[in-house]
Amino acid sequence: MAVFFILMFSLILSSSYAAVQDFCVADYRAPSGPAGYSCRRPETVTVNDFVYSGLGVAGNTSNIFRAANTPASAAEFPGVNGLGISMSRVDLAAGGVVPLHIHPGANEVLLVAQGTLVAGFISSDRNTVYLKTINSGDIMVFPQGLLHFQVNVGNATPVLAFASYSSPRPGLQIVDYALFQSNFPTQLIARTTFLGIPEISRLKAVFGSTN
Amino acid sequence: MAVFFILMFSLILSSSYAAVQDFCVADYRAPSGPAGYSCRRPETVTVNDFVYSGLGVAGNTSNIFRAANTPASAAEFPGVNGLGISMSRVDLAAGGVVPLHIHPGANEVLLVAQGTLVAGFISSDRNTVYLKTINSGDIMVFPQGLLHFQVNVGNATPVLAFASYSSPRPGLQIVDYALFQSNFPTQLIARTTFLGIPEISRLKAVFGSTN
Amino acid sequence: MAVFFILMFSLILSSSYAAVQDFCVADYRAPSGPAGYSCRRPETVTVNDFVYSGLGVAGNTSNIFRAANTPASAAEFPGVNGLGISMSRVDLAAGGVVPLHIHPGANEVLLVAQGTLVAGFISSDRNTVYLKTINSGDIMVFPQGLLHFQVNVGNATPVLAFASYSSPRPGLQIVDYALFQSNFPTQLIARTTFLGIPEISRLKAVFGSTN
Amino acid sequence: MAVFFILMFSLILSSSYAAVQDFCVADYRAPSGPAGYSCRRPETVTVNDFVYSGLGVAGNTSNIFRAANTPASAAEFPGVNGLGISMSRVDLAAGGVVPLHIHPGANEVLLVAQGTLVAGFISSDRNTVYLKTINSGDIMVFPQGLLHFQVNVGNATPVLAFASYSSPRPGLQIVDYALFQSNFPTQLIARTTFLGIPEISRLKAVFGSTN
Amino acid sequence: MAVFFILMFSLILSSSYAAVQDFCVADYRAPSGPAGYSCRRPETVTVNDFVYSGLGVAGNTSNIFRAANTPASAAEFPGVNGLGISMSRVDLAAGGVVPLHIHPGANEVLLVAQGTLVAGFISSDRNTVYLKTINSGDIMVFPQGLLHFQVNVGNATPVLAFASYSSPRPGLQIVDYALFQSNFPTQLIARTTFLGIPEISRLKAVFGSTN
Amino acid sequence: MAVFFILMFSLILSSSYAAVQDFCVADYRAPSGPAGYSCRRPETVTVNDFVYSGLGVAGNTSNIFRAANTPASAAEFPGVNGLGISMSRVDLAAGGVVPLHIHPGANEVLLVAQGTLVAGFISSDRNTVYLKTINSGDIMVFPQGLLHFQVNVGNATPVLAFASYSSPRPGLQIVDYALFQSNFPTQLIARTTFLGIPEISRLKAVFGSTN
């Protein structure tokens, strides 16, 4: 039996240099590449790298959207690095809204844990708005790169939902932020969206563009 | 402006033959391939194809595991076909257990919605059991193809959890079923697992192998 | 030598059923799947399936954007099906603009063949507008799923440009169309974008929403 | 326990329409797509679809190369469809050669089972010929899309080797066949290769071009 | 001609910084990532990085399984890093067995070079055991993430086989090792497998668990 | 509103360590891996990393091919790293030719911007030469890993063309260079191509092999 274990042992040894077996827990201090963060050596990995408790706490919804998004992507949760999956928590106070946005890097499935939402996405080929009221226990899929949104339509009931993504780095582009909280010149916004200048200026004030 | 819309219109026309834009809602009556089911034509797709309510209902846990797994993979939820993501619901009665199993086709992130679990997976390179007690709000990742399990350790409290997968077809291989509810010959089980024949026979009786 | 050719012949025979060797020219009449259109049998394929002349003709820019986009995706150009690449032609009359839009399914590299553009995209993580004046011979990359735009800033000079995509199905979601030429309810637009109702109504009139 | 089995049963039922679980045995009579052949329904699949005996028989080497290549790609071996792997058998009589060729669709690892080869490939960036004499038990890797070759240099000893590929459809482009057994016009060969016309004509005669 | 060569030269120069052309020979001293090891600079690569002789030597089968597995994955064979392929050698003495195991990261094709095996895998959807006696020259495919095994059933004849994998890092999870040679608590094994405690204790003694 | 911005701020902070959001601009001084170069930190990235002007300048065609290829792959254009796309510029003087070559790592679409070409590729399964005269405005696709070529057949008119690739690292293997400008031994060329020794020697002199 001895030699068999020796062979196994040598397999373990060589693997200890590999750090690429089974999982690739993110090493935030080493270079990252197109496929994600570098991997930590497996001997430094513990079960805590595979568990994340940050989604157990409600986000603060005292903001203009009455909403909070708490991510558990590879940047916060090292265990999902390279694994094609991640999550986030969505809290919506009464009247809260997840404004029109895109995930450039992932498809999403949203699980409603509490409350009632109107949710929708817009297809690119026909500009169809796929719109539905969804309730606790429902799941809805939002394809990658398409504009979508969710609105709390329950009377005074907060919404708790969890989004799952098909990538450890889904990204999040909120249209209002992209336009009105960025360095996007007003004239260029007007030309590329046909929005009126006064409306743009109003929204830049709302969203805090310093441009 | 006319011509621009005509161009758009022709784009729509050609897309109507494509059925491959933005999403690929499963057509269960057409051939499937390595990448998933065929796509339904977009003009037949409605928002209901993107919403699934089957996870809102508790599974029946009156079984030997005191557990139920309710899938929302591409086979049940046509909207996730081809999108690299799917979900399932896990119910565990008091003392319930998700027995040792593998998802051959996906990484998993499990969200505990209610209750307390002991969960773990075993790495392939060092046979390390990554084991932790996880509570409501926690998420834990289980890498693809590795043996893992969950046990309800809360006193008399049922567990509700939701699993997200990095594929619309994660697969589910329960070791007990593979060995003891299949046509796996007893002698061959013994030789390939070193389990004793009496133990195999006992478990075949428990799990209902007719072999 | 005979037998060697026989072997080759049998290889050809088996391949004639395969239709999956080297390329997969789109069969628009068979089912499509997540990876694209079905393949035509190679014996029915000619060189014309690999050549497309539709980009040699200027699009009609007599529209509100003074712009035309002429696609050569898998829906128009069967030879790129399954090959991870496609193109489109962009014409901008004097003062023309490619309005704010997203390609949900592809990264883009734009080649300026004639004229001068101001082009930009907005990153999702910091809402940075990456903005530059680009000239004939320049190429610029626009990452997948991010809002971007191009404006003809040359004095009275038309712009001709060619976009290449990292997918045969890049998709094209124009924000103005998604919002104002769709069935997106005005109240919901207002809640999810913070645009004022009068502005929404004005733009719905401009873009022809019948909602 | 009843309900649990019912749940399992319903899982099986839905899977029976899926035909996409675990494997995708090729259905040669249904359409193929960019990802491979359509899948046969799992209830029609037997273990024989996963076993192939065609590589157990020596190919006939009575040809100009004194060589035979016997493929076990998805076109011959339905069980590897969609699985990212396939094989072939290589027989070289004394003095036999696998002429300069490319696999457009796969990386290759060649295992020498018997005999001695000189094998090599040429890198694209520096035109370096990586060349080595390899013996029984050795494996050598040939990266995708690079020109490579093998020559039996053993004195009168036949070579038996097995190639493994990183795709079920590696493809095989033999340079001599592409140039001299095809409809490639002689003048065009000359212009694009700088080979002399007499040499081209000689080789067209050798390889049987009817052009 | 000069300038053309200069252009080529500049291409070579820029490529010398790239180290990502054609192949990516593993650099075991640099960080690894989700896609594999870092690449060595091409100017330090020789043909020996693409050839591996470790599979030419029989593994030592003097162990409980009368078996040996000798891997040639990216951890041992730097030339396959990033190339979607690797191999291993399997030796089985008379009566030897490759015990029930999974490759979490790859599909496998097994080539029998000598002897007779009974081999099988278990599907996840129906718990079907696909079982067959395979002989020298046969190949059999084992889909990713599914439990499988091989048993030498030849009378006193050793088996020599070679496994090819669809990944440079297939992984290897032996069920007996995962359960009985790991830190998996006995009570938890019992609850998640329904094995009896005495049987677990017996096998922990056999496989050397120190838990 | 304060807390919402704080959440956003923390998202930005964590992303600032990620360097993997939206894009992955090549860091030429850090290790590269199978998926490409390491990413530069986003705070060091400017719009100039996404724009490349090198294709605006004609290559020098004073060489034996009367041709120049100017690449804009990830090695020259850091913005396309990891994005599945790149380009190059092709100049052909009167009578110029892009000699028989392969891109081992990408499919290609060629856009003719000026002039008239005869272009073709050879399929691997049937050795069919797909051959066509293409003009300004035409695009033609060349599948990955297949031998192809272009010849300027316009009377004294230079050709300008732009190639797009389905990878940031398409690679370029010119058959004449691989054979006659490399360290490929003459005897081995002869045995693996059936070219005559005098012809090989002649071409080695033409292409400058020092071997």
Side-chain angles (χ1 to χ4, degrees):
Chain A
M1 198 187 315
V3 176
F4 191 79
F5 291 130
I6 287 171
L7 276 173
M8 284 298 121
F9 189 59
S10 73
L11 175 63
I12 287 171
L13 274 190
S14 59
S15 294
S16 78
Y17 299 113
V20 284
Q21 199 86 346
D22 292 342
F23 45 72
C24 175
V25 172
D27 181 348
Y28 296 124
R29 296 164 305 181
S32 65
Y37 294 98
S38 288
C39 315
R40 288 191 11 224
R41 287 177 165 266
E43 60 268 29
T44 71
V45 169
T46 73
V47 69
N48 294 322
D49 295 307
F50 300 109
V51 177
Y52 188 67
S53 296
L55 302 196
V57 183
N60 188 325
T61 58
S62 302
N63 54 59
I64 195 172
F65 298 125
R66 301 180 210 165
N69 178 64
T70 310
S73 73
E76 298 85 21
F77 184 13
V80 294
N81 183 49
L83 296 191
I85 193 165
S86 64
M87 291 190 73
S88 75
R89 172 190 176 123
V90 176
D91 290 283
L92 294 180
V97 59
V98 182
L100 198 71
H101 67 286
I102 310 153
H103 301 292
N107 297 287
E108 172 185 351
V109 173
L110 186 75
L111 166 73
V112 185
Q114 177 189 316
T116 299
L117 287 172
V118 162
F121 70 87
I122 311 164
S123 73
S124 80
D125 53 352
R126 295 151 179 266
N127 301 306
T128 302
V129 182
Y130 292 92
L131 189 67
K132 187 150 189 183
T133 303
I134 54 175
N135 300 296
S136 179
D138 288 346
I139 59 176
M140 182 168 175
V141 62
F142 302 91
Q144 181 170 357
L146 296 183
L147 290 163
H148 62 290
F149 56 86
Q150 292 98 18
V151 180
N152 182 352
V153 294
N155 288 329
T157 310
V159 161
L160 172 62
F162 293 92
S164 300
Y165 304 102
S166 64
S167 163
R169 300 170 281 154
L172 169 60
Q173 181 160 62
I174 297 170
V175 175
D176 279 332
Y177 284 5
L179 293 178
F180 308 123
Q181 201 179 91
S182 69
N183 56 335
F184 201 163
T186 298
Q187 292 294 335
L188 216 44
I189 299 177
R191 286 198 69 181
T192 60
T193 64
F194 283 58
L195 289 172
I197 302 272
E199 186 73 355
I200 297 168
S201 300
R202 182 180 73 79
L203 287 166
K204 282 198 164 186
V206 169
F207 288 104
S209 169
T210 58
N211 192 270
Chain B
M1 197 189 311
V3 176
F4 190 79
F5 291 130
I6 287 170
L7 276 173
M8 284 298 122
F9 190 59
S10 72
L11 175 62
I12 288 171
L13 273 191
S14 60
S15 294
S16 78
Y17 299 112
V20 284
Q21 199 85 347
D22 293 343
F23 45 72
C24 174
V25 172
D27 182 348
Y28 297 123
R29 294 164 307 181
S32 63
Y37 293 97
S38 288
C39 315
R40 284 186 20 218
R41 289 178 163 266
E43 61 269 27
T44 72
V45 168
T46 73
V47 68
N48 294 322
D49 295 307
F50 300 109
V51 177
Y52 188 68
S53 296
L55 303 195
V57 183
N60 188 323
T61 58
S62 301
N63 54 58
I64 196 172
F65 298 125
R66 301 180 209 166
N69 178 64
T70 310
S73 72
E76 298 85 21
F77 184 13
V80 295
N81 183 48
L83 296 190
I85 192 165
S86 65
M87 291 191 72
S88 75
R89 172 189 177 124
V90 176
D91 290 283
L92 294 179
V97 59
V98 183
L100 198 70
H101 67 286
I102 311 153
H103 301 293
N107 297 287
E108 173 185 351
V109 173
L110 186 76
L111 166 72
V112 184
Q114 177 190 315
T116 299
L117 288 171
V118 163
F121 71 86
I122 311 163
S123 72
S124 79
D125 53 352
R126 295 154 179 266
N127 301 307
T128 303
V129 182
Y130 291 91
L131 189 67
K132 187 152 189 182
T133 302
I134 55 175
N135 301 296
S136 180
D138 289 346
I139 59 177
M140 181 166 176
V141 63
F142 302 90
Q144 181 170 357
L146 296 183
L147 289 163
H148 62 291
F149 57 86
Q150 292 98 19
V151 180
N152 182 353
V153 294
N155 287 329
T157 310
V159 160
L160 172 62
F162 292 93
S164 300
Y165 303 101
S166 63
S167 163
R169 301 170 282 155
L172 169 61
Q173 182 161 62
I174 296 171
V175 175
D176 278 334
Y177 283 6
L179 294 178
F180 308 122
Q181 200 178 93
S182 68
N183 56 334
F184 201 162
T186 298
Q187 292 294 335
L188 217 43
I189 299 176
R191 287 198 67 180
T192 61
T193 64
F194 284 57
L195 288 172
I197 302 272
E199 185 73 355
I200 296 169
S201 299
R202 182 181 71 80
L203 287 166
K204 283 198 164 186
V206 169
F207 288 105
S209 169
T210 58
N211 192 271
Chain C
M1 197 189 312
V3 176
F4 190 79
F5 291 131
I6 286 171
L7 276 174
M8 284 297 120
F9 190 59
S10 73
L11 175 63
I12 287 171
L13 274 190
S14 60
S15 294
S16 77
Y17 299 112
V20 285
Q21 199 86 345
D22 291 343
F23 44 73
C24 175
V25 172
D27 180 347
Y28 297 123
R29 295 164 306 179
S32 63
Y37 293 97
S38 289
C39 316
R40 288 194 8 227
R41 287 176 163 268
E43 60 269 28
T44 72
V45 168
T46 74
V47 69
N48 294 323
D49 295 306
F50 300 110
V51 177
Y52 189 68
S53 296
L55 303 195
V57 183
N60 188 324
T61 59
S62 302
N63 54 58
I64 196 172
F65 299 125
R66 301 179 210 166
N69 178 64
T70 309
S73 73
E76 298 85 19
F77 184 14
V80 295
N81 184 49
L83 296 191
I85 192 165
S86 64
M87 291 191 72
S88 75
R89 172 190 176 122
V90 176
D91 290 283
L92 295 178
V97 58
V98 182
L100 198 70
H101 68 286
I102 311 153
H103 300 293
N107 297 287
E108 173 184 352
V109 173
L110 187 75
L111 166 73
V112 185
Q114 177 190 314
T116 299
L117 288 172
V118 162
F121 71 87
I122 311 165
S123 72
S124 80
D125 53 351
R126 295 152 178 267
N127 300 307
T128 302
V129 183
Y130 292 92
L131 190 67
K132 187 152 189 182
T133 302
I134 55 176
N135 301 295
S136 179
D138 289 346
I139 58 176
M140 181 167 176
V141 63
F142 302 91
Q144 182 170 356
L146 296 183
L147 289 163
H148 62 291
F149 56 87
Q150 292 97 19
V151 180
N152 182 352
V153 294
N155 288 330
T157 309
V159 160
L160 173 61
F162 293 92
S164 300
Y165 303 101
S166 64
S167 163
R169 301 170 283 157
L172 169 60
Q173 182 161 62
I174 297 170
V175 176
D176 278 334
Y177 283 5
L179 294 177
F180 308 123
Q181 199 178 92
S182 69
N183 56 334
F184 201 163
T186 298
Q187 291 294 335
L188 216 42
I189 299 177
R191 286 198 68 181
T192 60
T193 65
F194 284 59
L195 288 172
I197 302 272
E199 186 73 356
I200 296 169
S201 300
R202 181 181 74 79
L203 288 166
K204 282 198 164 186
V206 168
F207 288 104
S209 169
T210 58
N211 191 270
Chain D
M1 195 187 314
V3 177
F4 191 79
F5 291 131
I6 287 170
L7 276 172
M8 283 298 121
F9 190 58
S10 72
L11 174 64
I12 287 171
L13 274 190
S14 60
S15 294
S16 76
Y17 298 113
V20 285
Q21 200 85 348
D22 292 343
F23 45 72
C24 175
V25 172
D27 181 347
Y28 297 123
R29 295 162 307 179
S32 63
Y37 293 98
S38 288
C39 315
R40 288 192 10 226
R41 290 177 161 266
E43 61 268 28
T44 72
V45 169
T46 73
V47 69
N48 294 323
D49 295 306
F50 301 109
V51 176
Y52 189 68
S53 296
L55 303 196
V57 183
N60 188 324
T61 58
S62 302
N63 54 57
I64 196 172
F65 299 125
R66 299 179 212 166
N69 177 64
T70 309
S73 73
E76 297 84 21
F77 184 13
V80 294
N81 184 48
L83 296 191
I85 192 165
S86 64
M87 291 191 71
S88 75
R89 173 190 175 123
V90 176
D91 289 283
L92 294 180
V97 59
V98 182
L100 199 70
H101 67 287
I102 311 154
H103 301 292
N107 297 288
E108 173 185 350
V109 174
L110 186 75
L111 166 72
V112 185
Q114 177 191 317
T116 299
L117 288 172
V118 162
F121 71 88
I122 311 163
S123 72
S124 80
D125 54 353
R126 295 153 179 268
N127 300 307
T128 302
V129 182
Y130 292 92
L131 190 67
K132 188 151 188 181
T133 301
I134 54 176
N135 301 296
S136 179
D138 288 346
I139 58 176
M140 181 168 177
V141 63
F142 302 90
Q144 181 169 357
L146 297 182
L147 290 163
H148 62 289
F149 55 87
Q150 292 99 18
V151 180
N152 182 352
V153 293
N155 286 332
T157 310
V159 160
L160 172 62
F162 294 92
S164 300
Y165 304 101
S166 63
S167 163
R169 301 170 280 156
L172 168 61
Q173 182 160 61
I174 297 170
V175 175
D176 278 333
Y177 284 5
L179 294 178
F180 309 122
Q181 199 178 93
S182 68
N183 56 333
F184 201 162
T186 298
Q187 292 294 335
L188 217 43
I189 298 176
R191 287 199 66 182
T192 60
T193 64
F194 284 59
L195 289 172
I197 302 271
E199 186 73 357
I200 297 168
S201 300
R202 182 181 71 80
L203 288 165
K204 282 198 164 187
V206 169
F207 288 104
S209 170
T210 58
N211 192 272
Chain E
M1 196 187 318
V3 176
F4 191 80
F5 291 131
I6 286 170
L7 276 173
M8 283 297 120
F9 190 58
S10 73
L11 175 63
I12 287 171
L13 274 190
S14 61
S15 294
S16 78
Y17 298 112
V20 284
Q21 200 86 345
D22 292 343
F23 45 71
C24 175
V25 172
D27 181 347
Y28 296 123
R29 294 164 308 179
S32 63
Y37 293 97
S38 289
C39 315
R40 286 188 17 220
R41 287 175 164 269
E43 61 268 28
T44 71
V45 168
T46 73
V47 69
N48 293 323
D49 295 306
F50 301 109
V51 177
Y52 188 68
S53 297
L55 304 194
V57 182
N60 188 323
T61 58
S62 302
N63 53 59
I64 194 172
F65 299 124
R66 301 180 211 165
N69 178 63
T70 309
S73 73
E76 298 85 21
F77 183 13
V80 294
N81 184 47
L83 296 191
I85 193 164
S86 64
M87 290 191 73
S88 74
R89 172 190 176 123
V90 176
D91 289 283
L92 294 179
V97 59
V98 182
L100 198 71
H101 67 287
I102 311 154
H103 300 292
N107 297 287
E108 172 184 352
V109 173
L110 186 76
L111 166 72
V112 184
Q114 178 190 315
T116 299
L117 287 172
V118 162
F121 70 87
I122 311 164
S123 72
S124 80
D125 53 352
R126 296 152 178 266
N127 301 307
T128 303
V129 182
Y130 291 93
L131 189 67
K132 188 152 187 181
T133 302
I134 54 176
N135 301 295
S136 179
D138 289 345
I139 58 177
M140 182 167 174
V141 63
F142 302 91
Q144 181 170 358
L146 296 183
L147 290 163
H148 62 288
F149 56 87
Q150 291 98 19
V151 180
N152 182 352
V153 294
N155 286 331
T157 311
V159 161
L160 172 62
F162 293 92
S164 301
Y165 303 102
S166 64
S167 164
R169 299 170 283 155
L172 170 59
Q173 181 160 62
I174 296 170
V175 176
D176 277 334
Y177 283 5
L179 294 178
F180 308 122
Q181 199 178 92
S182 68
N183 56 333
F184 201 163
T186 297
Q187 292 293 335
L188 217 42
I189 298 177
R191 286 199 67 182
T192 60
T193 64
F194 284 58
L195 289 172
I197 302 272
E199 186 74 355
I200 296 170
S201 300
R202 182 180 73 80
L203 288 166
K204 282 197 164 187
V206 169
F207 288 104
S209 170
T210 58
N211 191 270
Chain F
M1 197 186 317
V3 176
F4 190 80
F5 290 131
I6 287 171
L7 277 174
M8 284 299 121
F9 189 58
S10 72
L11 175 62
I12 287 171
L13 274 190
S14 61
S15 295
S16 76
Y17 298 113
V20 284
Q21 199 86 347
D22 293 342
F23 44 72
C24 175
V25 172
D27 181 348
Y28 296 123
R29 295 164 306 180
S32 64
Y37 294 99
S38 288
C39 315
R40 286 189 15 223
R41 289 177 163 265
E43 61 269 27
T44 72
V45 168
T46 74
V47 68
N48 294 324
D49 295 307
F50 300 109
V51 177
Y52 188 68
S53 295
L55 303 196
V57 183
N60 188 323
T61 58
S62 303
N63 54 58
I64 195 172
F65 298 125
R66 301 180 211 165
N69 178 64
T70 310
S73 73
E76 298 84 23
F77 184 13
V80 295
N81 184 48
L83 296 191
I85 192 164
S86 64
M87 291 191 72
S88 76
R89 174 191 174 123
V90 176
D91 290 284
L92 295 179
V97 58
V98 182
L100 198 70
H101 67 286
I102 311 154
H103 301 292
N107 297 287
E108 172 184 351
V109 174
L110 187 76
L111 166 73
V112 184
Q114 178 191 314
T116 298
L117 287 172
V118 162
F121 71 87
I122 310 163
S123 72
S124 80
D125 53 352
R126 294 153 179 269
N127 300 307
T128 301
V129 183
Y130 292 92
L131 189 67
K132 187 152 188 181
T133 302
I134 55 176
N135 300 296
S136 179
D138 289 346
I139 58 177
M140 183 167 174
V141 62
F142 302 91
Q144 181 170 356
L146 296 183
L147 289 162
H148 62 289
F149 56 87
Q150 292 98 19
V151 179
N152 182 353
V153 293
N155 287 331
T157 310
V159 160
L160 172 61
F162 293 92
S164 301
Y165 303 102
S166 64
S167 163
R169 301 170 281 156
L172 169 60
Q173 181 160 61
I174 297 170
V175 175
D176 278 334
Y177 284 5
L179 294 178
F180 308 122
Q181 201 179 92
S182 67
N183 56 333
F184 201 163
T186 297
Q187 291 294 336
L188 217 42
I189 299 176
R191 286 198 68 181
T192 62
T193 65
F194 284 58
L195 289 172
I197 302 272
E199 186 73 357
I200 296 168
S201 300
R202 182 181 70 80
L203 288 165
K204 283 198 163 186
V206 169
F207 289 103
S209 169
T210 58
N211 192 271

